[in-house]
Amino acid sequence: MDGWWGWLNRPERKGHSGGGFTQMEQWLRSRRGLAESLGEWAFYAAVILIVLALIKLFPYHLFKKTHKWLALAYLVLVYHTLVLLNTEYWIQPIGWIMAVLLLSGTVSAFWVLTGRVGRQRKVQGVIKSLNAFPGVRVIEGSIHLEQGWEGHLPGQFAFVTSKNTEGAHPYTIASAWNPNDPSLTFIIKQLGDWTGQLEQWLSVDMPVTVEGPYGCFDFNDTLPRQIWVGAGIGITPFIAKMKHLAQCPGQQEIDLFHVTTDYDQAAINKLTADALAANVRLHITVTPKDGRLTPEKIRAIVPEWHTASLWFCGPTGLGDTLRTDFLTNGLTSNHYHQELFAMR
Ligand SMILES: Cc1cc2nc3c(=O)[nH]c(=O)nc-3n(C[C@H](O)[C@H](O)[C@H](O)COP(=O)(O)OP(=O)(O)OC[C@H]3O[C@@H](n4cnc5c(N)ncnc54)[C@H](O)[C@@H]3O)c2cc1C
């Protein structure tokens, strides 16, 4: 029978010319029908799971579960391949390459299915302070870490779990690493289902799990200038870098543009103090009052922009506008860096 939906045609079964099958070949032949059927269904399942991963309307907490099932589909496809691959291939380079790929994929799939991903990067901690900034619907929390955190670079992020049934959420680490005071600060905007409840849920002395650090939004270049644009809660990696610069001053000229629709004087005061300590020029745009921040406004304030790299964190729309405009005006693409607060 051809593929159920006619998408996949089964390979022709060739008769064996010489007879005299090895036991292994006979066993493989006896499994062909099952392997073909399983392979076809695993292929359809993989397509559906990949499509679900790409559709942002599909809720994240469900995607987190269904995405793992891809590993299961992969294992079925490995079985399909092992049974159906021409046995002569195993003594040729193509077979050796296949063996390496199948083996490494299988190990990875077991790693995913047994929940080992990131396990070695998990550290326990306790919340030691919480501050609310109601004007911008933001809370700032500091976590004291137990042993195991090996440090992080400014701009990196971590997954934080404070309630097991909710699971881990990613947040940028908004503090510089100091091994003498092993703590991390996170600044979290109430944007959705979970972050909207955080202020009521979190309390000082609450145990949390932190997994990380991850990410490569690391401000690493040797240009004489950097332009930073942090829109809304996208300001967090820049706060981390300013804390770091206050400890270890750098040589670069830095202009930080912070765009916000909400306003909280206490939050702005903290940001201003961080910028001062880091020797960073801060330009604040409160959109309802000042209008939108445009690429032209940035270039007017930093006429030497063509000697700078641009680091952006915030909503995709503003990021794309800045990228397209600066690249059209001559900024090279490797001098534009973007961090989006989105996993897919
Ligand atoms: C690398 C990175 C760094 C981030 N840094 C910060 C930060 O410093 N401060 C801050 O306030 N926010 C940050 N975010 C965004 C923050 O993770 C989301 O706002 C939060 O997870 C949304 O959860 P929710 O249930 O409140 O929102 P929902 O309304 O339920 O979800 C909104 C969107 O958030 C994403 N999301 C939801 N749950 C998760 C999850 N468990 N893991 C990953 N994404 C999820 C999904 O794309 C979803 O569509 C960061 C995100 C990423 C990817």
Side-chain angles (χ1 to χ4, degrees), residues 6-7 20 22 36 53 66 72 77 87-88 93 138 147 158 177 200 225 265 269 278 285 319 322 338:
W7 288 5
T22 65
E36 284 169 354
T66 57
L72 210 56
L77 289 169
T87 43
E88 284 161 16
V138 156
Q147 281 201 335
W177 177 239
Q200 285 72 44
R225 266 172 200 283
Q265 191 57 52
N269 289 349
T285 305
L322 291 179
Q338 183 163 300

Side-chain angles (χ1 to χ4, degrees), residues 155-208:
Q156 289 195 294
F157 69 95
F159 289 96
V160 184
T161 309
S162 57
K163 187 180 183 184
N164 284 338
T165 48
E166 175 60 32
H169 282 253
Y171 308 109
T172 303
I173 304 163
S175 54
W177 177 239
N178 176 1
N180 299 320
D181 173 20
S183 61
L184 304 178
T185 300
F186 294 96
I187 301 176
I188 301 170
K189 179 118 181 169
Q190 298 165 19
L191 286 173
D193 292 350
W194 173 242
T195 47
Q197 308 164 31
L198 266 184
E199 198 176 343
Q200 285 72 44
W201 170 253
L202 297 179
S203 58
V204 171
D205 291 336
M206 179 182 264
V208 293

Side-chain angles (χ1 to χ4, degrees), residues 111-142:
W111 207 256
V112 168
L113 290 170
T114 51
R116 285 195 167 85
V117 176
R119 197 182 275 178
Q120 270 140 356
R121 290 178 178 233
K122 280 188 184 156
V123 174
Q124 299 305 311
V126 169
I127 298 179
K128 62 176 189 182
S129 72
L130 288 168
N131 287 312
F133 298 93
V136 279
R137 290 178 298 121
V138 156
I139 47 168
E140 180 189 66
S142 281

Side-chain angles (χ1 to χ4, degrees), residues 45-325:
V47 170
I48 292 168
L49 292 171
I50 290 168
V51 170
L52 287 180
L54 295 173
I55 298 174
K56 287 197 184 173
L57 275 179
F58 187 65
Y60 189 91
H61 65 278
L62 296 178
F63 151 78
K64 250 190 342 188
K65 292 194 183 98
T66 57
H67 205 51
K68 278 193 179 175
W69 300 346
L70 263 177
L72 210 56
Y74 178 82
L75 289 177
V76 176
L77 289 169
V78 169
Y79 172 76
H80 167 90
T81 310
L82 288 176
V83 172
L84 295 175
L85 197 74
N86 189 335
T87 43
E88 284 161 16
Y89 286 176
W90 296 117
I91 50 166
Q92 296 170 24
I94 179 77
W96 308 335
I97 294 170
M98 283 296 282
V100 171
L101 292 176
L102 293 175
L103 190 67
S104 50
T106 302
V107 171
S108 307
F110 276 113
W111 207 256
V112 168
L113 290 170
T114 51
R116 285 195 167 85
V117 176
R119 197 182 275 178
Q120 270 140 356
R121 290 178 178 233
K122 280 188 184 156
V123 174
Q124 299 305 311
V126 169
I127 298 179
K128 62 176 189 182
S129 72
L130 288 168
N131 287 312
F133 298 93
V136 279
R137 290 178 298 121
V138 156
I139 47 168
E140 180 189 66
S142 281
I143 296 169
H144 179 81
L145 295 175
E146 289 172 11
Q147 281 201 335
W149 190 262
E150 308 221 324
H152 60 268
L153 297 171
Q156 289 195 294
F157 69 95
F159 289 96
V160 184
T161 309
S162 57
K163 187 180 183 184
N164 284 338
T165 48
E166 175 60 32
H169 282 253
Y171 308 109
T172 303
I173 304 163
S175 54
W177 177 239
N178 176 1
N180 299 320
D181 173 20
S183 61
L184 304 178
T185 300
F186 294 96
I187 301 176
I188 301 170
K189 179 118 181 169
Q190 298 165 19
L191 286 173
D193 292 350
W194 173 242
T195 47
Q197 308 164 31
L198 266 184
E199 198 176 343
Q200 285 72 44
W201 170 253
L202 297 179
S203 58
V204 171
D205 291 336
M206 179 182 264
V208 293
T209 306
V210 183
E211 180 196 321
Y214 294 106
C216 50
F217 190 76
D218 58 5
F219 302 94
N220 192 7
D221 68 39
T222 52
L223 295 179
R225 266 172 200 283
Q226 290 191 347
I227 297 170
W228 299 349
V229 182
I233 194 62
I235 192 66
T236 50
F238 304 106
I239 294 177
K241 183 64 180 176
M242 289 194 290
K243 302 270 188 205
H244 177 79
L245 284 173
Q247 289 173 10
C248 318
Q251 301 296 318
Q252 286 168 311
E253 295 277 326
I254 299 167
D255 288 88
L256 166 58
F257 293 83
H258 176 46
V259 190
T260 178
T261 36
D262 306 325
Y263 190 85
D264 186 296
Q265 191 57 52
I268 293 294
N269 289 349
K270 280 194 106 179
L271 193 63
T272 309
D274 283 337
L276 207 63
N279 198 21
V280 166
R281 281 184 294 273
L282 176 64
H283 314 275
I284 293 171
T285 305
V286 183
T287 322
K289 180 167 68 76
D290 305 321
R292 283 171 170 255
L293 176 70
T294 59
E296 292 76 20
K297 285 185 189 170
I298 296 176
R299 286 197 287 270
I301 292 172
V302 190
E304 311 85 351
W305 62 270
H306 48 273
T307 63
S309 55
L310 202 155
W311 297 77
F312 172 82
C313 184
T316 322
L318 178 56
D320 289 346
T321 305
L322 291 179
R323 184 175 199 281
T324 310
D325 192 286

Side-chain angles (χ1 to χ4, degrees), residues 325-342:
D325 192 286
F326 270 89
L327 262 52
T328 311
N329 278 278
L331 192 81
T332 49
S333 60
N334 57 334
H335 291 159
Y336 181 87
H337 308 270
Q338 183 163 300
E339 174 78 297
L340 300 173
F341 284 174

